[in-house]
Amino acid sequence: MTADDPSVLRPPVLREGDTVLLVSPSGPTRPERVARGIELLTGWGLRPQVAPNAYARRGYLAGDDALRAADLNAAFADPRVRGVICTRGGYGAQRVVDLIDMAAVRRDPKVVAGFSDITALQFALWRGARLAGVHGPGAAWVDERTPLRSAESLHTALMTTAPVTVEAVPGEETYPLRVPGRAVGRLLGGNLCLITATLGTPDMPDLTGAVLLVEEVQEPPYKVDRMLTHLRRAGVLDGLAGVAVGQFTDCADGWATTVVDVLTDRLGDLGVPVLGGLPIGHGPGQLSVPVGTSATLDATAGTLTVTPAVRS
């Protein structure tokens, strides 16, 4: 499997002067939260535009389903738009993915970046168009959580065709989790809740031969256990090539069992390389990685290297 794998739809790399549309497929956000992201993207020479309904609000959703779907479809249909940057995650992407015009996605592929609940959107675009994407911070940018290194990582993933290498960081909580070995496969996954919630839907990808990426936030160890056990019992982990474990942020409760204990128990006996400590997810210093493209997980060396989601 190479970056030129014809089964993968890789959108053109973003270039200076390109217009990117900022959309909110999931939870609501505010202009003051997105202002920093606009400043950052503008500094890269891009032309960020806020989608018409990006600041809509309906309870925990960024407006009605029809509005959120309309912004996505407008982005995919407009030839002037070259990239789609989600403002944030939250909840709601699953409610609109069946409304996406996949024919428009296939006609004019554009790079889509986001994380957390956006895993549902990435899965849908993979199922409907085999579109590679970027798992990375949204436009509601927070410098305290995503400093310069995070910005440089997103810039590399969106605006260059260089492979992306992420190294395990000793300071990350999941760093002790490691099953040595080397695996090559397509990197698929993202937020663990959304992976589990996709089971039984048309969007659940075939993980046979894949490197599975998992990360999570604010889920206690027993819930992480429940989700991983669900995946195991469903059989979707049986044919994995390897597991890349990102940040499990604020995943603690009053029990002595830690989230690393759970991850070790539920992933350590799969018979494949497992690498924890990757700064990918909801924690400080979050880095960006392509999803849907070929990856090499070297758990012995402590690195995850992924071929680009974009092409020249």
Side-chain angles (χ1 to χ4, degrees):
M1 191 188 307
T2 69
D4 297 320
D5 184 350
S7 70
V8 179
L9 190 59
R10 295 166 60 235
V13 64
L14 290 180
R15 295 179 170 87
E16 289 188 19
D18 281 350
T19 295
V20 293
L21 197 66
L22 310 185
V23 300
S24 300
S26 303
T29 190
R30 301 184 302 274
E32 59 269 25
R33 291 292 304 274
V34 179
R36 177 66 181 111
I38 292 175
E39 180 184 22
L40 191 72
L41 295 168
T42 301
W44 296 347
L46 298 172
R47 298 178 179 176
Q49 293 184 358
V50 179
N53 304 299
Y55 299 133
R57 181 181 291 266
R58 183 182 179 185
Y60 46 76
L61 300 170
D64 292 345
D65 293 350
L67 295 180
R68 304 197 317 283
D71 279 356
L72 285 169
N73 284 328
F76 294 133
D78 188 342
R80 296 168 299 179
V81 173
R82 305 317 310 152
V84 182
I85 312 295
C86 300
T87 60
R88 57 161 297 195
Y91 170 73
Q94 280 189 315
R95 294 174 55 118
V96 302
V97 292
D98 294 324
L99 303 175
I100 294 174
D101 182 355
M102 291 295 175
V105 176
R106 291 189 291 268
R107 279 195 304 269
D108 186 13
K110 295 147 190 198
V111 64
V112 177
F115 76 115
S116 195
D117 192 63
I118 305 305
T119 297
L121 176 60
Q122 302 279 21
F123 273 3
L125 293 170
W126 177 252
R127 182 259 300 181
R130 281 297 184 266
L131 182 72
V134 172
H135 181 290
W141 198 269
V142 181
D143 284 310
E144 291 75 16
R145 192 183 73 81
T146 44
L148 178 60
R149 184 164 180 247
S150 300
E152 291 172 342
S153 175
L154 182 60
H155 180 275
T156 297
L158 295 176
M159 300 191 70
T160 80
T161 55
V164 172
T165 297
V166 180
E167 297 181 358
V169 176
E172 291 287 347
E173 184 179 3
T174 62
Y175 184 78
L177 176 60
R178 188 171 304 201
V179 177
R182 185 176 182 273
V184 177
R186 200 182 307 281
L187 187 67
L188 294 170
N191 182 257
L192 179 59
C193 275
L194 272 299
I195 297 169
T196 308
T198 306
L199 281 175
T201 75
D203 292 339
M204 185 66 198
D206 181 1
L207 297 177
T208 304
V211 175
L212 177 64
L213 171 66
V214 291
E215 54 87 10
E216 194 49 86
V217 62
Q218 294 180 343
E219 295 289 351
Y222 81 90
K223 288 189 177 182
V224 173
D225 185 324
R226 183 172 66 195
M227 288 185 280
L228 291 173
T229 300
H230 187 180
L231 293 175
R232 287 171 65 109
R233 296 189 66 227
V236 299
L237 304 186
D238 292 347
L240 287 178
V243 186
V245 181
Q247 297 166 318
F248 277 68
T249 305
D250 298 332
C251 292
D253 57 13
W255 298 100
T257 301
T258 68
V259 72
V260 174
D261 293 333
V262 169
L263 291 166
T264 301
D265 176 67
R266 298 284 76 193
L267 299 175
D269 64 350
L270 295 177
V272 299
V274 180
L275 176 62
L278 298 169
I280 302 167
H282 289 72
Q286 174 194 3
L287 301 183
S288 300
V289 289
V291 285
T293 60
S294 178
T296 299
L297 181 78
D298 191 334
T300 304
T303 59
L304 171 69
T305 301
V306 194
T307 56
V310 292
R311 58 175 174 81
S312 58

PDB file of all heavy atoms in Angstrom, residues 167-179 245-247 260 263 274-279 299-302:
ATOM      1  N   GLU A 167       5.761  10.831  17.163  1.00  0.00           N
ATOM      2  CA  GLU A 167       6.530  10.027  18.103  1.00  0.00           C
ATOM      3  C   GLU A 167       5.800   9.921  19.440  1.00  0.00           C
ATOM      4  O   GLU A 167       5.160  10.882  19.886  1.00  0.00           O
ATOM      5  CB  GLU A 167       7.905  10.654  18.332  1.00  0.00           C
ATOM      6  CG  GLU A 167       8.773  10.722  17.092  1.00  0.00           C
ATOM      7  CD  GLU A 167      10.134  11.325  17.372  1.00  0.00           C
ATOM      8  OE1 GLU A 167      10.385  11.719  18.535  1.00  0.00           O
ATOM      9  OE2 GLU A 167      10.957  11.396  16.436  1.00  0.00           O
ATOM     10  N   ALA A 168       5.905   8.763  20.068  1.00  0.00           N
ATOM     11  CA  ALA A 168       5.359   8.582  21.406  1.00  0.00           C
ATOM     12  C   ALA A 168       6.100   9.502  22.377  1.00  0.00           C
ATOM     13  O   ALA A 168       7.315   9.643  22.310  1.00  0.00           O
ATOM     14  CB  ALA A 168       5.481   7.133  21.844  1.00  0.00           C
ATOM     15  N   VAL A 169       5.339  10.121  23.283  1.00  0.00           N
ATOM     16  CA  VAL A 169       5.888  11.106  24.216  1.00  0.00           C
ATOM     17  C   VAL A 169       5.832  10.527  25.631  1.00  0.00           C
ATOM     18  O   VAL A 169       4.754  10.163  26.112  1.00  0.00           O
ATOM     19  CB  VAL A 169       5.087  12.421  24.143  1.00  0.00           C
ATOM     20  CG1 VAL A 169       5.589  13.412  25.177  1.00  0.00           C
ATOM     21  CG2 VAL A 169       5.167  13.021  22.739  1.00  0.00           C
ATOM     22  N   PRO A 170       6.992  10.450  26.312  1.00  0.00           N
ATOM     23  CA  PRO A 170       7.003   9.871  27.657  1.00  0.00           C
ATOM     24  C   PRO A 170       6.030  10.532  28.623  1.00  0.00           C
ATOM     25  O   PRO A 170       5.513   9.883  29.535  1.00  0.00           O
ATOM     26  CB  PRO A 170       8.458  10.056  28.108  1.00  0.00           C
ATOM     27  CG  PRO A 170       9.241  10.079  26.835  1.00  0.00           C
ATOM     28  CD  PRO A 170       8.358  10.774  25.835  1.00  0.00           C
ATOM     29  N   GLY A 171       5.754  11.819  28.459  1.00  0.00           N
ATOM     30  CA  GLY A 171       4.852  12.511  29.373  1.00  0.00           C
ATOM     31  C   GLY A 171       3.389  12.197  29.174  1.00  0.00           C
ATOM     32  O   GLY A 171       2.554  12.524  30.035  1.00  0.00           O
ATOM     33  N   GLU A 172       3.031  11.555  28.066  1.00  0.00           N
ATOM     34  CA  GLU A 172       1.630  11.205  27.830  1.00  0.00           C
ATOM     35  C   GLU A 172       1.201  10.053  28.737  1.00  0.00           C
ATOM     36  O   GLU A 172       1.955   9.108  28.956  1.00  0.00           O
ATOM     37  CB  GLU A 172       1.408  10.816  26.366  1.00  0.00           C
ATOM     38  CG  GLU A 172       1.536  11.961  25.381  1.00  0.00           C
ATOM     39  CD  GLU A 172       0.351  12.914  25.437  1.00  0.00           C
ATOM     40  OE1 GLU A 172      -0.676  12.568  26.063  1.00  0.00           O
ATOM     41  OE2 GLU A 172       0.445  14.009  24.861  1.00  0.00           O
ATOM     42  N   GLU A 173      -0.025  10.124  29.220  1.00  0.00           N
ATOM     43  CA  GLU A 173      -0.511   9.119  30.167  1.00  0.00           C
ATOM     44  C   GLU A 173      -0.487   7.713  29.580  1.00  0.00           C
ATOM     45  O   GLU A 173      -0.220   6.736  30.285  1.00  0.00           O
ATOM     46  CB  GLU A 173      -1.933   9.471  30.611  1.00  0.00           C
ATOM     47  CG  GLU A 173      -2.484   8.541  31.676  1.00  0.00           C
ATOM     48  CD  GLU A 173      -3.882   8.922  32.123  1.00  0.00           C
ATOM     49  OE1 GLU A 173      -4.446   9.886  31.561  1.00  0.00           O
ATOM     50  OE2 GLU A 173      -4.415   8.261  33.032  1.00  0.00           O
ATOM     51  N   THR A 174      -0.762   7.582  28.280  1.00  0.00           N
ATOM     52  CA  THR A 174      -0.828   6.252  27.680  1.00  0.00           C
ATOM     53  C   THR A 174       0.546   5.726  27.241  1.00  0.00           C
ATOM     54  O   THR A 174       0.637   4.642  26.645  1.00  0.00           O
ATOM     55  CB  THR A 174      -1.774   6.247  26.464  1.00  0.00           C
ATOM     56  OG1 THR A 174      -1.273   7.153  25.453  1.00  0.00           O
ATOM     57  CG2 THR A 174      -3.180   6.655  26.868  1.00  0.00           C
ATOM     58  N   TYR A 175       1.618   6.452  27.534  1.00  0.00           N
ATOM     59  CA  TYR A 175       2.962   6.053  27.081  1.00  0.00           C
ATOM     60  C   TYR A 175       3.363   4.655  27.548  1.00  0.00           C
ATOM     61  O   TYR A 175       4.034   3.925  26.793  1.00  0.00           O
ATOM     62  CB  TYR A 175       3.983   7.087  27.540  1.00  0.00           C
ATOM     63  CG  TYR A 175       5.385   6.818  27.046  1.00  0.00           C
ATOM     64  CD1 TYR A 175       5.755   7.128  25.742  1.00  0.00           C
ATOM     65  CD2 TYR A 175       6.348   6.256  27.887  1.00  0.00           C
ATOM     66  CE1 TYR A 175       7.040   6.880  25.279  1.00  0.00           C
ATOM     67  CE2 TYR A 175       7.628   6.004  27.430  1.00  0.00           C
ATOM     68  CZ  TYR A 175       7.969   6.324  26.132  1.00  0.00           C
ATOM     69  OH  TYR A 175       9.247   6.074  25.679  1.00  0.00           O
ATOM     70  N   PRO A 176       3.000   4.220  28.774  1.00  0.00           N
ATOM     71  CA  PRO A 176       3.437   2.877  29.194  1.00  0.00           C
ATOM     72  C   PRO A 176       2.848   1.743  28.359  1.00  0.00           C
ATOM     73  O   PRO A 176       3.341   0.612  28.427  1.00  0.00           O
ATOM     74  CB  PRO A 176       2.942   2.792  30.646  1.00  0.00           C
ATOM     75  CG  PRO A 176       2.795   4.215  31.089  1.00  0.00           C
ATOM     76  CD  PRO A 176       2.345   4.957  29.872  1.00  0.00           C
ATOM     77  N   LEU A 177       1.809   2.027  27.595  1.00  0.00           N
ATOM     78  CA  LEU A 177       1.165   0.970  26.819  1.00  0.00           C
ATOM     79  C   LEU A 177       1.982   0.684  25.549  1.00  0.00           C
ATOM     80  O   LEU A 177       2.081   1.537  24.664  1.00  0.00           O
ATOM     81  CB  LEU A 177      -0.253   1.417  26.433  1.00  0.00           C
ATOM     82  CG  LEU A 177      -1.057   0.481  25.528  1.00  0.00           C
ATOM     83  CD1 LEU A 177      -1.246  -0.871  26.197  1.00  0.00           C
ATOM     84  CD2 LEU A 177      -2.400   1.102  25.181  1.00  0.00           C
ATOM     85  N   ARG A 178       2.557  -0.510  25.469  1.00  0.00           N
ATOM     86  CA  ARG A 178       3.349  -0.838  24.298  1.00  0.00           C
ATOM     87  C   ARG A 178       3.464  -2.350  24.137  1.00  0.00           C
ATOM     88  O   ARG A 178       3.838  -3.066  25.067  1.00  0.00           O
ATOM     89  CB  ARG A 178       4.739  -0.216  24.376  1.00  0.00           C
ATOM     90  CG  ARG A 178       5.535  -0.368  23.084  1.00  0.00           C
ATOM     91  CD  ARG A 178       6.827   0.424  23.089  1.00  0.00           C
ATOM     92  NE  ARG A 178       6.626   1.852  23.347  1.00  0.00           N
ATOM     93  CZ  ARG A 178       7.516   2.785  23.017  1.00  0.00           C
ATOM     94  NH1 ARG A 178       8.623   2.440  22.400  1.00  0.00           N
ATOM     95  NH2 ARG A 178       7.278   4.045  23.304  1.00  0.00           N
ATOM     96  N   VAL A 179       3.130  -2.816  22.945  1.00  0.00           N
ATOM     97  CA  VAL A 179       3.402  -4.190  22.533  1.00  0.00           C
ATOM     98  C   VAL A 179       4.344  -4.076  21.341  1.00  0.00           C
ATOM     99  O   VAL A 179       3.938  -3.607  20.276  1.00  0.00           O
ATOM    100  CB  VAL A 179       2.124  -4.941  22.128  1.00  0.00           C
ATOM    101  CG1 VAL A 179       2.470  -6.349  21.646  1.00  0.00           C
ATOM    102  CG2 VAL A 179       1.138  -4.996  23.295  1.00  0.00           C
ATOM    103  N   VAL A 245      -2.434   4.267  19.887  1.00  0.00           N
ATOM    104  CA  VAL A 245      -3.209   4.786  21.020  1.00  0.00           C
ATOM    105  C   VAL A 245      -2.811   6.233  21.283  1.00  0.00           C
ATOM    106  O   VAL A 245      -1.659   6.527  21.610  1.00  0.00           O
ATOM    107  CB  VAL A 245      -3.000   3.923  22.279  1.00  0.00           C
ATOM    108  CG1 VAL A 245      -3.836   4.477  23.437  1.00  0.00           C
ATOM    109  CG2 VAL A 245      -3.385   2.473  21.997  1.00  0.00           C
ATOM    110  N   GLY A 246      -3.770   7.120  21.130  1.00  0.00           N
ATOM    111  CA  GLY A 246      -3.538   8.534  21.359  1.00  0.00           C
ATOM    112  C   GLY A 246      -3.813   8.933  22.793  1.00  0.00           C
ATOM    113  O   GLY A 246      -3.656   8.138  23.737  1.00  0.00           O
ATOM    114  N   GLN A 247      -4.255  10.153  22.966  1.00  0.00           N
ATOM    115  CA  GLN A 247      -4.490  10.713  24.298  1.00  0.00           C
ATOM    116  C   GLN A 247      -5.843  10.251  24.858  1.00  0.00           C
ATOM    117  O   GLN A 247      -6.856  10.299  24.166  1.00  0.00           O
ATOM    118  CB  GLN A 247      -4.459  12.235  24.208  1.00  0.00           C
ATOM    119  CG  GLN A 247      -3.102  12.782  23.779  1.00  0.00           C
ATOM    120  CD  GLN A 247      -3.177  14.237  23.380  1.00  0.00           C
ATOM    121  OE1 GLN A 247      -4.108  14.669  22.706  1.00  0.00           O
ATOM    122  NE2 GLN A 247      -2.176  15.016  23.768  1.00  0.00           N
ATOM    123  N   VAL A 260      -5.048   3.300  31.590  1.00  0.00           N
ATOM    124  CA  VAL A 260      -3.945   2.542  30.997  1.00  0.00           C
ATOM    125  C   VAL A 260      -4.076   1.056  31.337  1.00  0.00           C
ATOM    126  O   VAL A 260      -3.787   0.191  30.495  1.00  0.00           O
ATOM    127  CB  VAL A 260      -2.588   3.110  31.460  1.00  0.00           C
ATOM    128  CG1 VAL A 260      -1.432   2.238  30.955  1.00  0.00           C
ATOM    129  CG2 VAL A 260      -2.417   4.530  30.958  1.00  0.00           C
ATOM    130  N   LEU A 263      -6.699  -0.208  28.893  1.00  0.00           N
ATOM    131  CA  LEU A 263      -6.178  -0.296  27.532  1.00  0.00           C
ATOM    132  C   LEU A 263      -5.213  -1.473  27.388  1.00  0.00           C
ATOM    133  O   LEU A 263      -5.230  -2.191  26.381  1.00  0.00           O
ATOM    134  CB  LEU A 263      -5.477   1.004  27.163  1.00  0.00           C
ATOM    135  CG  LEU A 263      -6.381   2.231  26.996  1.00  0.00           C
ATOM    136  CD1 LEU A 263      -5.556   3.515  26.973  1.00  0.00           C
ATOM    137  CD2 LEU A 263      -7.212   2.116  25.721  1.00  0.00           C
ATOM    138  N   VAL A 274       1.138  -2.594  19.495  1.00  0.00           N
ATOM    139  CA  VAL A 274       0.316  -1.534  20.090  1.00  0.00           C
ATOM    140  C   VAL A 274       1.268  -0.453  20.594  1.00  0.00           C
ATOM    141  O   VAL A 274       2.241  -0.756  21.297  1.00  0.00           O
ATOM    142  CB  VAL A 274      -0.540  -2.070  21.257  1.00  0.00           C
ATOM    143  CG1 VAL A 274      -1.374  -0.944  21.858  1.00  0.00           C
ATOM    144  CG2 VAL A 274      -1.441  -3.212  20.798  1.00  0.00           C
ATOM    145  N   LEU A 275       0.975   0.792  20.226  1.00  0.00           N
ATOM    146  CA  LEU A 275       1.832   1.900  20.650  1.00  0.00           C
ATOM    147  C   LEU A 275       0.996   2.979  21.321  1.00  0.00           C
ATOM    148  O   LEU A 275       0.118   3.573  20.694  1.00  0.00           O
ATOM    149  CB  LEU A 275       2.573   2.502  19.446  1.00  0.00           C
ATOM    150  CG  LEU A 275       3.443   3.734  19.737  1.00  0.00           C
ATOM    151  CD1 LEU A 275       4.565   3.387  20.711  1.00  0.00           C
ATOM    152  CD2 LEU A 275       4.002   4.310  18.440  1.00  0.00           C
ATOM    153  N   GLY A 276       1.263   3.225  22.602  1.00  0.00           N
ATOM    154  CA  GLY A 276       0.621   4.310  23.317  1.00  0.00           C
ATOM    155  C   GLY A 276       1.527   5.526  23.368  1.00  0.00           C
ATOM    156  O   GLY A 276       2.644   5.530  22.862  1.00  0.00           O
ATOM    157  N   GLY A 277       1.017   6.594  23.991  1.00  0.00           N
ATOM    158  CA  GLY A 277       1.805   7.803  24.178  1.00  0.00           C
ATOM    159  C   GLY A 277       1.814   8.747  22.999  1.00  0.00           C
ATOM    160  O   GLY A 277       2.606   9.696  22.974  1.00  0.00           O
ATOM    161  N   LEU A 278       0.942   8.531  22.016  1.00  0.00           N
ATOM    162  CA  LEU A 278       0.912   9.413  20.849  1.00  0.00           C
ATOM    163  C   LEU A 278       0.087  10.660  21.163  1.00  0.00           C
ATOM    164  O   LEU A 278      -1.051  10.548  21.630  1.00  0.00           O
ATOM    165  CB  LEU A 278       0.318   8.681  19.646  1.00  0.00           C
ATOM    166  CG  LEU A 278       1.112   7.460  19.180  1.00  0.00           C
ATOM    167  CD1 LEU A 278       0.321   6.648  18.166  1.00  0.00           C
ATOM    168  CD2 LEU A 278       2.452   7.894  18.584  1.00  0.00           C
ATOM    169  N   PRO A 279       0.632  11.854  20.942  1.00  0.00           N
ATOM    170  CA  PRO A 279      -0.094  13.089  21.267  1.00  0.00           C
ATOM    171  C   PRO A 279      -1.144  13.423  20.202  1.00  0.00           C
ATOM    172  O   PRO A 279      -1.081  14.439  19.515  1.00  0.00           O
ATOM    173  CB  PRO A 279       1.013  14.139  21.341  1.00  0.00           C
ATOM    174  CG  PRO A 279       2.067  13.635  20.423  1.00  0.00           C
ATOM    175  CD  PRO A 279       2.018  12.129  20.507  1.00  0.00           C
ATOM    176  N   ALA A 299       6.074   0.082  16.924  1.00  0.00           N
ATOM    177  CA  ALA A 299       5.917   0.157  18.371  1.00  0.00           C
ATOM    178  C   ALA A 299       7.246  -0.035  19.085  1.00  0.00           C
ATOM    179  O   ALA A 299       7.403   0.407  20.224  1.00  0.00           O
ATOM    180  CB  ALA A 299       4.900  -0.873  18.843  1.00  0.00           C
ATOM    181  N   THR A 300       8.179  -0.683  18.437  1.00  0.00           N
ATOM    182  CA  THR A 300       9.499  -0.865  19.037  1.00  0.00           C
ATOM    183  C   THR A 300      10.245   0.462  19.091  1.00  0.00           C
ATOM    184  O   THR A 300      10.843   0.828  20.106  1.00  0.00           O
ATOM    185  CB  THR A 300      10.299  -1.908  18.251  1.00  0.00           C
ATOM    186  OG1 THR A 300       9.554  -3.129  18.196  1.00  0.00           O
ATOM    187  CG2 THR A 300      11.647  -2.153  18.905  1.00  0.00           C
ATOM    188  N   ALA A 301      10.186   1.206  17.984  1.00  0.00           N
ATOM    189  CA  ALA A 301      10.869   2.499  17.913  1.00  0.00           C
ATOM    190  C   ALA A 301      10.036   3.630  18.506  1.00  0.00           C
ATOM    191  O   ALA A 301      10.569   4.710  18.804  1.00  0.00           O
ATOM    192  CB  ALA A 301      11.207   2.828  16.463  1.00  0.00           C
ATOM    193  N   GLY A 302       8.723   3.407  18.662  1.00  0.00           N
ATOM    194  CA  GLY A 302       7.861   4.423  19.242  1.00  0.00           C
ATOM    195  C   GLY A 302       7.381   5.471  18.245  1.00  0.00           C
ATOM    196  O   GLY A 302       7.189   6.634  18.634  1.00  0.00           O
TER     197      GLY A 302
END
